[in-house]
Amino acid sequence: MRKNSNTSPELIALTGKTKKEIISILGNKYSENPEGSMIYATRIFFTTKKMFISFNDHDIVEIVYTE
């Protein structure tokens, strides 16, 4: 899996937020993988952009990356 840079201001702004804050910002249309990461998918024409949000043990966003 290729990870894009997570240095954009939008992605950096999500770091340090709780799961509830992420849901209030991005909405509740997400899926979760077995590791507990949230996956938001956005379709633009014929392509799908995915944003993966990983949490630490305290339910705080630790890593945000796009594919």
Side-chain angles (χ1 to χ4, degrees):
M1 176 186 312
R2 188 176 136 235
K3 295 180 183 178
N4 292 336
S5 173
N6 63 350
T7 57
S8 71
E10 295 85 13
L11 298 181
I12 290 173
L14 297 177
T15 306
K17 304 259 189 236
T18 64
K19 197 173 211 175
K20 288 182 180 181
E21 290 173 325
I22 294 296
I23 292 171
S24 70
I25 294 169
L26 298 176
N28 60 358
K29 293 187 178 190
Y30 65 91
S31 59
E32 284 193 38
N33 64 7
E35 293 87 30
S37 296
M38 296 172 77
I39 304 169
Y40 282 92
T42 305
R43 260 187 99 82
I44 301 172
F45 295 109
F46 300 106
T47 61
T48 301
K49 286 285 260 188
K50 292 183 181 176
M51 181 187 326
F52 297 85
I53 304 171
S54 298
F55 298 90
N56 64 13
D57 296 337
H58 304 290
D59 212 22
I60 306 267
V61 174
E62 190 170 55
I63 301 170
V64 179
Y65 62 93
T66 59
E67 178 183 74

